[in-house]
Amino acid sequence: MLIKTTREIPGSEITDEKHYLQRRDFIRLVGGAAMIAGAAPWLQACAADPAAADFAGTAGPAVVPGQTALANVKPKVITTTEKLNSFEDITSYNNFYEFGMAKSDPQQYAGALTTSPWKVKIDGHCAKPADYHLEDLLEPQQLEERIYRLRCVEGWSMVVPWVGIPLASVLKTVEPTGKATFVKFTTLHRPKEMMGQNNRSSLAWPYTEGLRLDEAMNPLTILAVGLYGKTLMNQNGAPIRLIVPWKYGFKSIKSIVHIELVDRMPPTAWNQSAPEEYGFYSNVNPQVDHPRWSQRTERRIPGFFKSRQTEMFNGYGDQVASMYAGMDLRKFY
Ligand SMILES: Nc1nc2c(c(=O)[nH]1)N[C@H]1C(S)=C(S)[C@@H](COP(=O)(O)O)O[C@H]1N2
Ligand SMILES: [Mo]
């Protein structure tokens, strides 16, 4: 077995909440009084709230049209002290094939997507299936900030301050039954607004992804609804997307409309299109090269050179490696 042990992971990579809170250069997200009348409690007008305005000045740009500041966000365990990517990096260099295959296409074309109203169906093997309006799904949940590395299978990476909720707490509300062993996720299918979905040669639409139930329940797995303290821009998967930081980025499916508890490994978009290149598990693994390129190193956006060593499980091995005990980490899964 070649699982990275806790001892090999430098303590500096795992930051506890106290340490996080002391770091002045990290964003502070604050609840405030100035609620928009009629809006859900987690939405708040940024301009009207001095603390939120202060936050915008410290770490990210002001709220732009189409975004709303998020309130009552709890700073939680932060997994890296690496420098955050800028809001500009995170929103201008994207993979979202529903809007085209070039990195700049999502920023250019995703504005066409209507994200409100938004419904998420959660069903399958569970006692309480539900068709949620996004607001109702989020209402009982506590938003948390999670600063995670994102490692794309293409060999680039970023550090993103996501805001979201643990997927586990959402799944628990629908009460998975004993039959549920995997979770299937599906992106919106709306070719009129997602023009890339008219291109049948890129991927089979709608985009789908999947996790094993224990992966879905892992505390690192979140449903993100924002970043830099504000609701997601469409190019990042508004209004709600998955984040699984120890897996290649394509597992982190965007603009989710359906979460289904299933009893077998579900088909997934990239695995279906090129099974020998994109596995179901796709845990970040510097020892297993992509058939067309090495995975040993990565390029931190906006840099040009692949000067950074890629870490096993993207550096999250102490929290996830035990789920793969028995798997040979030199193999492709
Ligand atoms: N629906 C959908 N989800 C998707 C993709 C996509 O094309 N469609 N691209 C994936 C890939 S390859 C990556 S690397 C991440 C990129 O997320 P970001 O653009 O927010 O950085 O989204 C993933 N989620
Ligand atoms: Mo990716």
Side-chain angles (χ1 to χ4, degrees):
M1 288 308 301
L2 295 161
I3 290 176
K4 195 168 177 179
T5 66
T6 313
R7 251 176 298 117
E8 293 170 79
I9 296 170
S12 62
E13 283 185 27
I14 299 148
T15 313
D16 63 26
E17 186 167 337
K18 195 161 129 268
H19 182 190
Y20 165 75
L21 288 168
Q22 286 163 352
R23 285 182 62 91
R24 279 303 167 90
D25 51 334
F26 280 177
I27 45 179
R28 267 178 305 127
L29 295 161
V30 264
M35 299 287 188
I36 308 168
W42 46 275
L43 290 176
Q44 125 183 28
C46 183
D49 182 65
D54 170 54
F55 146 68
T58 309
V63 170
V64 302
Q67 280 190 310
T68 313
L70 295 164
N72 301 316
V73 177
K74 173 168 77 169
K76 222 11 197 352
V77 176
I78 305 307
T79 63
T80 175
T81 55
E82 289 168 29
K83 190 171 175 293
L84 297 178
N85 275 94
S86 68
F87 181 82
E88 172 65 19
D89 293 339
I90 300 166
T91 57
S92 64
Y93 189 93
N94 300 99
N95 274 333
F96 201 169
Y97 276 28
E98 283 83 341
F99 298 104
M101 290 160 68
K103 294 288 178 288
S104 56
D105 284 343
Q107 182 180 45
Q108 195 173 352
Y109 300 113
L113 178 65
T114 319
T115 58
S116 174
W118 192 271
K119 290 215 278 182
V120 182
K121 183 194 285 291
I122 310 183
D123 63 0
H125 295 300
C126 61
K128 296 182 172 165
D131 233 330
Y132 288 103
H133 285 285
L134 182 62
E135 293 75 10
D136 300 330
L137 178 72
L138 297 177
E139 200 276 324
Q141 307 290 343
Q142 168 70 63
L143 291 180
E144 298 174 13
E145 174 166 81
R146 301 290 185 97
I147 295 176
Y148 285 159
R149 283 182 292 275
L150 174 83
R151 169 56 158 88
C152 177
V153 73
E154 296 164 338
W156 53 266
S157 64
M158 297 199 199
V159 181
V160 184
W162 302 108
V163 175
I165 54 181
L167 176 60
S169 51
V170 171
L171 293 179
K172 278 175 195 155
T173 63
V174 299
E175 299 177 11
T177 66
K179 277 192 172 172
T181 49
F182 288 87
V183 187
K184 179 185 175 185
F185 304 85
T186 309
T187 294
L188 177 72
H189 188 227
R190 193 185 285 163
K192 279 194 177 141
E193 295 183 2
M194 301 173 121
M195 54 79 160
Q197 289 180 337
N198 297 303
N199 178 358
R200 307 263 179 83
S201 64
S202 53
L203 287 171
W205 310 111
Y207 194 103
T208 54
E209 257 308 333
L211 294 173
R212 215 169 56 191
L213 186 63
D214 60 331
E215 299 177 318
M217 300 300 275
N218 187 283
L220 284 178
T221 306
I222 60 166
L223 288 171
V225 295
L227 62 87
Y228 269 118
K230 290 160 280 193
T231 49
L232 292 174
M233 298 295 287
N234 287 358
Q235 57 265 42
N236 294 107
I240 186 163
R241 57 95 54 94
L242 184 70
I243 297 294
V244 198
W246 71 94
K247 292 179 179 282
Y248 290 120
F250 67 87
K251 299 292 295 181
S252 292
I253 181 176
K254 296 177 169 180
S255 304
I256 296 168
V257 292
H258 190 189
I259 300 174
E260 189 181 1
L261 290 143
V262 294
D263 54 20
R264 64 196 64 178
M265 188 181 279
T268 60
W270 279 101
N271 181 249
Q272 278 177 301
S273 85
E276 61 299 324
E277 299 192 10
Y278 309 105
F280 176 84
Y281 284 95
S282 284
N283 295 320
V284 174
N285 188 343
Q287 301 180 29
V288 177
D289 290 342
H290 185 278
R292 292 181 280 134
W293 58 83
S294 164
Q295 294 290 26
R296 295 213 158 267
T297 56
E298 66 198 57
R299 172 171 86 82
R300 177 61 50 84
I301 300 294
F304 181 75
F305 295 105
K306 285 192 169 181
S307 51
R308 182 177 287 268
Q309 298 293 316
T310 288
E311 295 178 63
M312 183 65 82
F313 298 114
N314 203 21
Y316 300 103
D318 60 332
Q319 288 143 97
V320 303
S322 62
M323 291 191 289
Y324 310 103
M327 275 189 177
D328 182 347
L329 296 184
R330 291 161 301 189
K331 289 193 180 146
F332 171 88
Y333 293 100

